[in-house]
Amino acid sequence: MRVAAGGDRGDTAEVGGAAASVRANRRLKETPTGFVDYGEIPESRQGREASLHRVLIVGGGAGGLELATQLGDRLGSRGKASIALLDKTRVHVWKPHLHEVASGTLDIHVDSVEYLAHARSHHYRFRVGAMCGLDREKRQVFVEPMLDEDGRQLIPPRVLGYDTLIVAVGSVGNDFATPGVKEHAIAIDSADEAARFNRKLINACVRANAQYESLHEGQLHCVIIGAGATGVELAAELHKTMRDIAAYGLDNIDFDKSIRLTIIEAGPRILGPLPQQLAASTADMLNRLGVQVLTGRQAAEITKDGVRLASGEFIPAEMVVWAAGIKAPDFLKDIDGLETDRINRLVVRDTLQTTRDDNIFAIGDCACYVLPEEGKPTPPRAQTAHQMASLVEKAVRARLKKKALPKFKYRDFGNLVNLSEYGTVGNLIGMVGNRSVYLEGVFARLMYRSLYKMHQRALHGTLKTALDTAAKLISRRTEPCVKLH
């Protein structure tokens, strides 16, 4: 079988030596890598739409999904552009909530967004698959084949065309080539990994409760490597969750005496990038909970039985979570000649366009925008992705009108750290001039919860968010406080 090469909007394929005309929505082309282009315009919407400006967003995280929603509502619904979103999963879970998925206090089957349904409601197209390459000259994104649970090919390798490309693939854990991390630790970078850790946690508790012999060394111990926001929030959630699980009939062991949580941090203190007062308050809460915090220690190796430190000390543990650093996915490194930094992030200008291609933007954790005043990149936070998505939405509309693009100005609104039901601490910037205001208690917790509500409002609108909130308040009265399966 031979597939004939064609133009960027070609519609002719040659099979078995015979030429055959195919519709624009199934146009086949031979690419340098053997990938096949199936096009973007369905048969029922050909004609005028085939000539629309094609906007392709890769990555449906906090920034990517908000951007697809805004562009779909404002451009896709009015037939002013063709909007498509590509993501390797079929559901969206807000990344700051992944530690709650891992602990079991949040169920991804309830607190998630189905891309296909959301796309239908907000006038964009969803494509499932993982980006693996780029052809800037032909304006094509290469997508890996997708396999089902049995390992059979579900969707073949393919290419998607674009006129404007926005890369929003987020970040993954950076193991710094530490031996044993990939084999014996879990980096909670995705909903699947968080759910896998949750299953491992529940199984560990059930196993310990059912066994006849005494607990062995390291059993029911969890080591979290990295004391950033994810690490400390996960420690507090696990402290609560493992005791909640014990309350559901696991009464053969004393969880208060058997559970051990340890945080290992290579830096001099926890929450290194955040203000000292916030870090000190968080450390005090963790100490009161009995969480062991080891600062100035570096993990040298992860084994099936625990963690070996650079000092030679060995900490036995049944569960190990790696939260020590982040990087952009490896496939972005110097992709088709684009400029990247040492952790694979795409370097962008103040318009958030990549430095070597005006047709490609990058937002969120995978973008390296250096703040002019501070000389360092924007922090990898949800608020950064949200602000970048808002800027690029305006930039796409400006491109369609052939107007000058807006410039990105990052505003730091502060930080919030939620330690489960034990307390929330944070600082807000800009409430009183440019000063930072320290927060704790009920007000800090309400502020923390409002961040997710703002994300939901950007995706669903005010009415649906309010209805969803009311429904959750009612349903939580009949549900267990922690996921048990």
Side-chain angles (χ1 to χ4, degrees):
M1 176 175 179
R2 182 165 62 91
V3 182
D8 192 44
R9 299 185 184 273
D11 59 356
T12 302
E14 186 177 349
V15 181
S21 174
V22 295
R23 299 185 184 276
N25 69 312
R26 295 286 294 176
R27 59 188 190 279
L28 302 177
K29 300 187 302 181
E30 186 177 43
T31 70
T33 56
F35 284 58
V36 176
D37 181 3
Y38 285 95
E40 280 297 292
I41 308 300
E43 180 179 355
S44 62
R45 303 175 75 173
Q46 290 177 21
R48 176 180 177 275
E49 191 170 351
S51 62
L52 291 179
H53 188 94
R54 299 167 299 169
V55 179
L56 176 61
I57 303 163
V58 181
L65 185 55
E66 287 187 15
L67 178 59
T69 304
Q70 294 170 13
L71 290 176
D73 288 342
R74 296 178 182 178
L75 298 179
S77 64
R78 302 173 183 176
K80 294 183 177 181
S82 172
I83 314 299
L85 173 67
L86 173 71
D87 195 272
K88 61 184 179 182
T89 62
R90 302 184 191 188
V91 297
H92 164 83
V93 177
W94 198 46
K95 194 168 185 178
H97 274 172
L98 288 183
H99 69 282
E100 297 181 39
V101 176
S103 66
T105 54
L106 186 145
D107 189 344
I108 59 174
H109 299 294
V110 176
D111 296 274
S112 62
V113 177
E114 294 276 357
Y115 286 122
L116 280 171
H118 189 264
R120 183 174 182 272
S121 299
H122 293 276
H123 313 284
Y124 66 89
R125 299 186 185 89
F126 173 65
R127 301 289 182 258
V128 62
M131 177 180 177
C132 61
L134 175 68
D135 187 331
R136 294 196 289 130
E137 182 179 355
K138 294 184 178 180
R139 298 185 185 177
Q140 293 177 335
V141 166
F142 299 117
V143 184
E144 292 179 350
M146 190 173 183
L147 307 179
D148 63 16
E149 295 179 352
D150 299 321
R152 296 178 300 179
Q153 182 170 282
L154 184 65
I155 303 176
R158 61 202 189 282
V159 301
L160 301 178
Y162 68 87
D163 296 305
T164 296
L165 173 66
I166 300 104
V167 182
V169 292
S171 59
V172 296
N174 190 347
D175 60 17
F176 305 102
T178 305
V181 173
K182 290 182 173 63
E183 296 81 5
H184 306 298
I186 297 179
I188 304 175
D189 297 321
S190 67
D192 287 341
E193 290 175 329
R196 181 164 69 94
F197 177 83
N198 179 250
R199 292 191 297 271
K200 185 173 183 178
L201 168 68
I202 294 173
N203 290 341
C205 293
V206 172
R207 183 185 304 112
N209 185 73
Q211 70 187 43
Y212 295 109
E213 65 274 13
S214 300
L215 300 184
H216 61 74
E217 188 180 24
Q219 191 170 359
L220 288 184
H221 292 186
C222 179
V223 172
I224 301 169
I225 301 172
T230 298
V232 299
E233 290 181 338
L234 177 61
E237 289 287 350
L238 290 179
H239 183 278
K240 176 181 181 296
T241 294
M242 294 179 81
R243 284 154 180 81
D244 287 340
I245 292 174
Y248 288 96
L250 304 185
D251 49 9
N252 289 337
I253 55 177
D254 188 338
F255 274 70
D256 285 326
K257 293 181 179 179
S258 302
I259 294 173
R260 181 183 174 190
L261 296 169
T262 301
I263 298 176
I264 298 173
E265 170 58 41
R269 66 175 175 89
I270 67 171
L271 301 175
L274 305 188
Q276 172 66 40
Q277 184 181 11
L278 195 156
S281 298
T282 303
D284 183 58
M285 286 187 185
L286 292 175
N287 289 333
R288 292 202 302 268
L289 295 176
V291 177
Q292 183 183 27
V293 179
L294 303 177
T295 57
R297 314 286 183 89
Q298 186 172 352
E301 181 185 8
I302 313 299
T303 73
K304 63 182 180 63
D305 298 316
V307 179
R308 191 176 308 281
L309 303 181
S311 62
E313 179 184 0
F314 185 79
I315 302 176
E318 184 174 7
M319 297 164 283
V320 179
V321 175
W322 187 270
I326 64 167
K327 64 179 180 178
D330 290 334
F331 78 86
L332 283 184
K333 183 64 177 177
D334 300 322
I335 185 169
D336 200 23
L338 293 179
E339 183 182 3
T340 55
D341 68 0
R342 61 181 179 82
I343 56 172
N344 306 334
R345 294 178 299 188
L346 295 170
V347 181
V348 297
R349 306 191 299 270
D350 56 4
T351 57
L352 300 183
Q353 293 168 296
T354 54
T355 54
R356 296 173 184 169
D357 195 323
D358 288 346
N359 297 315
I360 301 176
F361 295 75
I363 64 174
D365 290 1
C366 69
C368 177
Y369 172 69
V370 179
L371 297 168
E373 302 85 6
E374 303 178 26
K376 61 182 181 180
T378 51
R381 302 175 190 162
Q383 63 171 305
T384 304
H386 170 76
Q387 292 179 41
M388 287 183 166
S390 297
L391 185 283
V392 172
E393 186 269 330
K394 297 174 184 175
V396 170
R397 289 191 287 130
R399 276 170 65 87
L400 294 179
K401 297 177 181 178
K402 302 188 184 304
K403 294 184 177 180
L405 303 189
K407 304 294 180 66
F408 181 65
K409 292 183 179 180
Y410 174 70
R411 182 181 175 186
D412 189 351
F413 290 96
N415 310 276
L416 290 166
V417 178
N418 181 48
L419 301 178
S420 189
E421 65 178 16
Y422 307 114
T424 303
V425 296
N427 70 307
L428 293 182
I429 300 174
M431 291 184 65
V432 183
N434 290 323
R435 290 189 299 172
S436 175
V437 178
Y438 177 77
L439 301 173
E440 64 178 340
V442 176
F443 184 68
R445 188 168 184 80
L446 289 175
M447 291 294 296
Y448 180 84
R449 290 182 174 179
S450 71
L451 295 177
Y452 182 51
K453 295 305 174 184
M454 291 171 60
H455 177 63
Q456 287 185 305
R457 183 173 176 270
L459 299 183
H460 307 300
T462 303
L463 179 59
K464 287 186 178 181
T465 300
L467 292 174
D468 179 76
T469 302
K472 295 279 176 61
L473 290 173
I474 297 171
S475 63
R476 288 182 74 87
R477 295 180 179 272
T478 61
E479 297 173 348
C481 58
V482 62
K483 188 172 181 289
L484 299 171
H485 64 280

